[in-house]
Amino acid sequence: MADNSDINAVLSNSLSPDAATRTGAEQQLTQAAETNFPLYLATLVQSLADENSQGNIRVAAGLALKNAFSAREFARQQELQAKWLQQTDQDTKTRVKELAIQTLASENAQAGQASAQVIASIAAIELPRSQWPDLLSVLVQNVSSGAPHQKQASLTCIGYICESQDAELRTALIGHSNAILTAVVQGARKEETNIEVRLSAISALGDSLEFVGNNFKHEGERNYIMQVVCEATQADDARIQQGAFGCLNRIMALYYENMRYYMEKALFGLTILGMKNDDEDVAKLAVEFWSTVCEEEVNIEEDNAQVDSADQMRPFYNFARVATNEVVPALLTLLTKQDEDATDDEYNLSRAAYQCLQLYAQAVGPNIIPPVIQFVEQHLRSEDWHYREAAVAAFGAIMEGPEEKVLEPIVKQALPILISMMEDASTFVKDSTAYALGRITEACSQAIDPQQHLDPLIRSLFAGVHDVKMAASCCWALMNLAERFSGDFDASSNPLTPHFNQSVQTLLTVTSQPGSETAVRTTSYEVLSAFVQHAATDSFPAIAQLSDVIIKRLEETIPMQSQVVSIEDKIALEEMQTSLNTVLQAIIQRLEKEISPQGDRIMHVSLQILSTAGAKSSVPESIFATISGLSNAMEEDFVKYMDAFTPFLYNALANQEEPSLCSMAIGLVSDITRSMGERSQPYCDNFMNYLLNNLRFAENATNNSLQSTTLSNQFKPAILQCFGDIANAIAGHFETYLSVVAQVLQQAATVTAAPDGSYELYDYVISLREGIMDAWGGIIGAMKISGKNQALQPYVQSIFQLLNIISQDMNRSESLMRSSMGVIGDLAEAFPHGELAEAFRQDWLTAMIKETKTNREFQSRTLDTARWAREQVKRQLGGSTSVMQQT
């Protein structure tokens, strides 16, 4: 890279379509940056600024420069910023910035755009540090007096700077709001004759809106900004109109409280007009404006419902309700603009209108019903499928918002018609009908009369399960029905009982068809699980027969593992095995002890699958969930499978490379020990070794990387809770591990969250303390039941210290308080003769118990635990008053 031709050749190769050529060039650039970073920057910026170079060379130089200052990974970003700040001399910095600014004026638009990116990358480093103070004023001057291409590049540069997600930069930009606004508003005015300049300005304005809050507080400035944006919605160029409506959406979300005047004078009319625009993207953005209005008003009403006094309430103008009779008919018309060729996840105009209608129903409640019902009645039997589909979609869209008792008579009347529409000639209509029925079964299920509606409804939904386009909606509705009509857990029958056997048979047929789509098969198995979970006891014989079928199907997947030849085959097989396990889990959970006769077959096939599952497979997790259910059902009888199963469990406990599987294994140790009780004792040495190793791994990982901190947060609380479960299971045998575990718990108790800590850290500290309290609860109970209370004495003071910290920290959960009350009561019960009376007399502890047992937001079991703890403490104080041993 000694001369200009060398660098140009390397830069040209960095854009080569040939991977080997491109990789070689990238390696040369990386090596040059590492050898002499300032020289590397100076060479690249010279190529960027060279008006004699080809456009693609200059773009490559700009891209390489940008990559020298910024990266997606946080650690790499910090490293690059340090190289600019600490390893680059001032002359080079000045040269790079001057030539980049100069290139904004290039006649070559590509070079100008590339330099905009370079400048934005440097600005992200320097502006938060109060460096490059004249950057924004230079960009403003360019927009004010530069040539069109210079204006456009400078506005693009402002947009790049403002769209950054860097928190420090975003804070710094607030101080530059005047300069930013001056540039973007000037470029966005209707007087700007260059379309590309105006488009860049509108785009930059949208990116900058978050930083101009102070300007929006001043009526004069606010009026001018709103005037420019509103005028831009009427521009001749559709791209500018799109940008303007995008700005209005952002403004409404950020500055709702300032919008009353503008809604009355302009925005209402402009957005209604915008929804009728021939350009679909413009119309979508106009629709989204009203989605934003509805979201804001729903949020404001929720916020205002929680404040203590009127002066804390946010302004609320009822924009959506006032505009209902104009906006809703426009939305309903747009629902008829379906695109027959659209993919399921494609966001088009009719789907934007549907989404807005849903939000409108939530915002205005019963006010949505009259215009929608009028539209539905008018078009539900239309000869044009577009209108039939729009009518049924509109009906489903308003199920969430109005109160259920208001919707109930309307739904009762509509259900027979909707059920008949499941046989419509149009697949689009049938699919939307199925989805509307899903919405009804979720939000207004009380309207479904089991005598009148249930049989035809279930039949129509099962008929739709066979159709790949309708399957997801039909299955969703069926799962909702299963939950709605489940009745009491121990009921002998429920409204679904007469339909249970036929439903199971249909689902087994659908899932066994050779050519069935994976998605259809997966969702059908989900329905099967739901029907089993919510079945009444009269259906238990059928569920027992179903277990035979499901286990047999799982057994039939074993030879399939050797037939996998592609990634698609592997994914399909794993999805099938996971689905079958999900159904099996539901069967085990419902039959409980009655599943025991199938225990041998379940474990045999589970171990076969575990022994052949590849690395990174998702199937072992579902197998572990099945085994967890089986251990809970069989209790101590599960011990007969332990010798065969523990090698797989130990492997998973040692597999930190797959955190979710390892975490699942930790939970499974808790389940197995709880189920087997003292019969798990022979396996506990190994359990404890693996759990302690995982704690050490998590501790080391936390010190090494941010990603591993997440791993640590996932493992630690679960492991601590697991210690408590093991102690509960093996009682006095746990004394062997007590000193090591106590040390771990004492160390974990020192973790706190700083006042300015993240929400994630606050949540972690709560879950960690819950784990500590669960562990102590199990340990205290174990020592107490085995008459080894004195083994606890050295650790009592540290337990009270943590309880004191929890009592003073407002960052706590109900489950943490419940666990804490349990530990207080357990300690008092473990030392019944007043040995700890001095500790229990402390005011903070009395206040902590009182605060918990009088908290009206807590569940009854938490309140009961607190009352029990209080009774135990009273007994403690009534005994002798020996002083707590100091440690």
Side-chain angles (χ1 to χ4, degrees):
M1 296 178 67
D3 58 41
N4 212 43
S5 60
D6 286 344
I7 182 62
N8 285 354
V10 174
L11 290 170
S12 179
N13 287 340
S14 72
L15 299 176
S16 171
D18 179 67
T21 304
R22 190 171 63 252
T23 301
E26 288 168 354
Q27 289 173 348
Q28 284 182 274
L29 290 171
T30 301
Q31 186 177 3
E34 290 173 355
T35 303
N36 189 331
F37 189 63
L39 178 61
Y40 174 70
L41 298 181
T43 306
L44 286 177
V45 80
Q46 193 65 49
S47 289
L48 173 65
D50 186 357
E51 292 293 338
N52 295 318
S53 287
Q54 296 174 11
N56 66 320
I57 299 294
R58 299 176 74 181
V59 167
L63 183 62
L65 268 175
K66 179 185 79 72
N67 291 339
F69 305 127
S70 61
R72 289 177 182 170
E73 296 83 13
F74 179 76
R76 178 64 177 157
Q77 172 86 352
Q78 297 290 98
E79 182 186 327
L80 293 175
Q81 290 189 355
K83 290 178 81 169
W84 172 258
L85 292 167
Q86 297 159 20
Q87 298 177 28
T88 308
D89 59 277
Q90 193 57 49
D91 287 346
T92 300
K93 288 182 182 178
T94 303
R95 179 71 173 157
V96 169
K97 291 191 285 189
E98 285 178 349
L99 287 179
I101 289 286
Q102 174 186 311
T103 307
L104 290 173
S106 174
E107 294 281 354
N108 186 305
Q110 288 180 298
Q113 299 289 312
S115 67
Q117 288 188 305
V118 172
I119 293 165
S121 298
I122 299 172
I125 303 173
E126 297 207 343
L127 290 184
R129 295 169 173 79
S130 301
Q131 299 172 11
W132 210 353
D134 62 339
L135 170 61
L136 271 303
S137 59
V138 169
L139 295 175
V140 171
Q141 185 62 36
N142 286 353
V143 175
S144 174
S145 57
H149 51 269
Q150 187 179 22
K151 285 184 180 182
Q152 186 187 352
S154 298
L155 286 163
T156 301
C157 183
I158 292 172
Y160 286 149
I161 293 170
C162 291
E163 74 180 10
S164 169
Q165 296 303 306
D166 184 278
E168 292 181 346
L169 175 60
R170 295 174 82 82
T171 301
L173 287 175
I174 295 171
H176 296 280
S177 63
N178 287 335
I180 292 169
L181 265 183
T182 300
V184 297
V185 172
Q186 183 168 335
R189 295 176 308 160
K190 64 180 180 182
E191 288 80 11
E192 175 57 63
T193 55
N194 187 295
I195 297 298
E196 299 304 322
V197 168
R198 195 176 179 196
L199 179 60
S200 296
I202 281 288
S203 177
L205 177 58
D207 291 326
S208 69
L209 284 166
E210 189 175 326
F211 313 115
V212 298
N214 290 330
N215 305 81
F216 254 83
K217 291 175 184 174
H218 299 109
E219 185 179 357
E221 293 183 54
R222 185 169 70 242
N223 286 345
Y224 189 49
I225 296 168
M226 294 303 295
Q227 178 187 335
V228 168
V229 175
C230 288
E231 287 173 350
T233 65
Q234 304 305 299
D236 293 332
D237 191 291
R239 295 172 302 161
I240 294 174
Q241 293 177 33
Q242 292 168 29
F245 278 112
C247 284
L248 288 181
N249 292 351
R250 197 88 180 93
I251 289 168
M252 179 57 73
L254 291 167
Y255 306 112
Y256 174 93
E257 66 275 12
N258 301 125
M259 289 297 105
R260 189 174 194 170
Y261 171 80
Y262 308 104
M263 283 293 279
E264 292 172 356
K265 296 295 182 184
L267 300 185
F268 171 75
L270 287 175
T271 51
I272 294 288
L273 199 62
M275 285 195 279
K276 299 173 182 176
N277 197 296
D278 291 337
D279 185 288
E280 180 167 323
D281 289 327
V282 174
K284 269 196 301 191
L285 286 159
V287 168
E288 286 169 15
F289 174 84
W290 285 100
S291 293
T292 304
V293 169
C294 293
E295 286 176 326
E296 281 303 303
E297 296 199 329
V298 168
N299 291 337
I300 291 169
E301 285 201 282
E302 288 176 356
D303 291 346
N304 286 349
Q306 296 175 20
V307 300
D308 298 324
S309 59
D311 62 325
Q312 295 177 306
M313 295 183 75
R314 295 173 59 190
F316 181 71
Y317 302 127
N318 256 321
F319 293 145
R321 184 177 58 77
V322 171
T324 299
N325 290 333
E326 286 76 23
V327 175
V328 172
L331 293 172
L332 294 168
T333 300
L334 293 178
L335 285 179
T336 67
K337 309 295 182 186
Q338 306 95 327
D339 179 358
E340 296 178 55
D341 301 319
T343 58
D344 288 342
D345 57 353
E346 188 175 324
Y347 182 65
N348 53 36
L349 184 53
S350 66
R351 287 174 182 168
Y354 179 84
Q355 188 178 77
C356 187
L357 196 62
Q358 283 183 300
L359 291 167
Y360 228 103
Q362 293 170 37
V364 306
N367 294 293
I368 196 80
I369 294 175
V372 170
I373 293 303
Q374 182 183 349
F375 180 83
V376 171
E377 289 175 345
Q378 185 178 351
H379 298 298
L380 201 58
R381 300 187 186 279
S382 171
E383 291 185 8
D384 186 336
W385 75 262
H386 294 84
Y387 284 87
R388 293 200 306 279
E389 194 275 341
V392 75
F395 191 82
I398 65 169
M399 286 299 109
E400 186 182 349
E403 290 184 10
E404 190 169 348
K405 63 183 180 184
V406 177
L407 288 170
E408 197 171 314
I410 302 167
V411 171
K412 276 183 183 293
Q413 186 180 351
L415 265 172
I417 303 169
L418 291 173
I419 292 169
S420 71
M421 291 181 72
M422 286 291 286
E423 298 177 0
D424 195 277
S426 165
T427 302
F428 290 96
V429 175
K430 287 192 290 188
D431 183 36
S432 289
T433 303
Y435 191 76
L437 289 170
R439 297 270 296 173
I440 289 168
T441 56
E442 180 181 57
C444 195
S445 60
Q446 294 300 321
I448 302 170
D449 184 329
Q451 302 301 320
Q452 180 187 354
H453 302 131
L454 198 54
D455 183 64
L457 179 55
I458 286 180
R459 288 177 186 278
S460 67
L461 290 170
F462 271 119
V465 166
H466 297 268
D467 188 318
V468 65
K469 186 165 178 60
M470 298 166 57
S473 298
C474 291
C475 288
W476 174 46
L478 285 164
M479 285 188 280
N480 291 338
L481 285 176
E483 186 175 350
R484 159 69 177 88
F485 292 107
S486 59
D488 294 332
F489 186 76
D490 294 324
S492 60
S493 66
N494 62 36
L496 285 176
T497 303
H499 308 279
F500 185 82
N501 290 354
Q502 184 57 51
S503 298
V504 168
Q505 199 53 53
T506 302
L507 290 164
L508 289 175
T509 301
V510 171
T511 52
S512 65
Q513 288 171 346
S516 67
E517 294 271 346
T518 301
V520 173
R521 190 168 58 237
T522 301
T523 51
S524 297
Y525 276 129
E526 287 173 5
V527 177
L528 190 52
S529 296
F531 269 62
V532 169
Q533 282 172 346
H534 299 290
T537 57
D538 281 355
S539 299
F540 277 17
I543 295 175
Q545 288 181 335
L546 175 64
S547 69
D548 248 345
V549 179
I550 298 301
I551 295 168
K552 186 171 186 296
R553 287 189 180 184
L554 259 178
E555 290 166 345
E556 288 169 353
T557 66
I558 304 294
M560 293 182 192
Q561 290 176 303
S562 61
Q563 299 165 17
V564 168
V565 294
S566 67
I567 294 293
E568 290 74 16
D569 289 347
K570 179 176 181 290
I571 292 171
L573 178 59
E574 289 189 353
E575 283 199 18
M576 185 189 296
Q577 289 177 327
T578 300
S579 294
L580 288 166
N581 269 288
T582 303
V583 178
L584 194 51
Q585 289 153 31
I587 292 170
I588 293 168
Q589 186 180 7
R590 199 69 191 97
L591 293 183
E592 295 180 321
K593 199 79 174 174
E594 292 179 40
I595 195 65
S596 296
Q598 294 281 27
D600 289 1
R601 282 183 72 197
I602 292 171
M603 285 304 296
H604 183 68
V605 71
S606 295
L607 297 180
Q608 276 189 293
I609 293 173
L610 284 175
S611 64
T612 53
K616 307 295 182 185
S617 167
S618 60
V619 177
E621 288 183 45
S622 63
I623 294 286
F624 276 19
T626 300
I627 292 173
S628 168
L630 190 63
S631 70
N632 289 334
M634 295 186 67
E635 297 177 336
E636 61 182 24
D637 291 342
F638 186 79
V639 71
K640 63 181 177 178
Y641 306 123
M642 285 296 286
D643 288 342
F645 172 57
T646 46
F648 298 102
L649 182 56
Y650 297 152
N651 282 340
L653 285 168
N655 188 357
Q656 293 96 356
E657 297 300 311
E658 297 184 57
S660 58
L661 179 62
C662 187
S663 181
M664 191 97 187
I666 293 166
L668 189 48
V669 171
S670 283
D671 293 337
I672 286 173
T673 51
R674 276 198 301 264
S675 300
M676 287 173 38
E678 284 206 71
R679 298 190 76 171
S680 61
Q681 194 264 327
Y683 306 96
C684 285
D685 278 356
N686 281 328
F687 287 160
M688 292 300 296
N689 282 333
Y690 281 108
L691 293 172
L692 289 167
N693 280 337
N694 274 328
L695 274 181
R696 282 189 282 271
F697 172 82
E699 200 62 50
N700 294 334
T702 304
N703 299 330
N704 292 334
S705 78
L706 191 65
Q707 180 185 358
S708 296
T709 302
T710 308
L711 192 68
S712 161
N713 294 358
Q714 186 179 342
F715 281 2
K716 276 188 179 178
I719 291 173
L720 302 186
Q721 184 182 28
C722 193
F723 289 153
D725 290 326
I726 292 173
N728 260 326
I730 65 174
H733 297 293
F734 194 82
E735 188 179 10
T736 308
Y737 317 115
L738 180 55
S739 61
V740 175
V741 171
Q743 186 179 353
V744 168
L745 297 177
Q746 288 168 337
Q747 183 183 8
T750 64
V751 177
T752 57
D756 58 348
S758 65
Y759 288 117
E760 289 80 6
L761 181 58
Y762 274 91
D763 288 343
Y764 170 59
V765 169
I766 290 174
S767 60
L768 191 64
R769 289 173 179 172
E770 287 174 6
I772 296 169
M773 284 300 154
D774 287 340
W776 278 124
I779 292 167
I780 295 166
M783 296 302 105
K784 182 179 64 179
I785 202 169
S786 53
K788 298 183 176 182
N789 302 16
Q790 293 309 309
L792 296 167
Q793 194 96 33
Y795 315 113
V796 168
Q797 185 173 358
S798 65
I799 296 173
F800 275 104
Q801 285 171 349
L802 178 56
L803 286 168
N804 189 11
I805 291 169
I806 292 170
S807 74
Q808 297 173 42
D809 192 342
M810 291 300 101
N811 176 41
R812 57 200 190 194
S813 65
E814 180 181 353
S815 55
L816 174 57
M817 298 311 291
R818 183 169 58 248
S819 298
S820 299
M821 294 300 107
V823 167
I824 291 169
D826 287 336
L827 271 177
E829 206 173 43
F831 295 93
H833 304 303
E835 298 96 324
L836 307 181
E838 187 178 308
F840 283 115
R841 279 200 183 91
Q842 296 175 95
D843 291 342
W844 62 263
L845 190 130
T846 305
M848 184 184 188
I849 297 174
K850 183 179 180 181
E851 185 182 335
T852 306
K853 72 185 181 74
T854 57
N855 190 320
R856 294 181 179 179
E857 294 181 5
F858 285 174
Q859 297 174 19
S860 58
R861 65 190 184 120
T862 305
L863 304 180
D864 290 343
T865 307
R867 291 189 192 103
W868 171 78
R870 182 63 188 142
E871 289 305 310
Q872 298 309 313
V873 170
K874 281 182 180 177
R875 290 180 187 175
Q876 174 78 200
L877 297 178
S880 60
T881 55
S882 301
V883 178
M884 178 177 64
Q885 177 177 329
Q886 302 294 310
T887 58

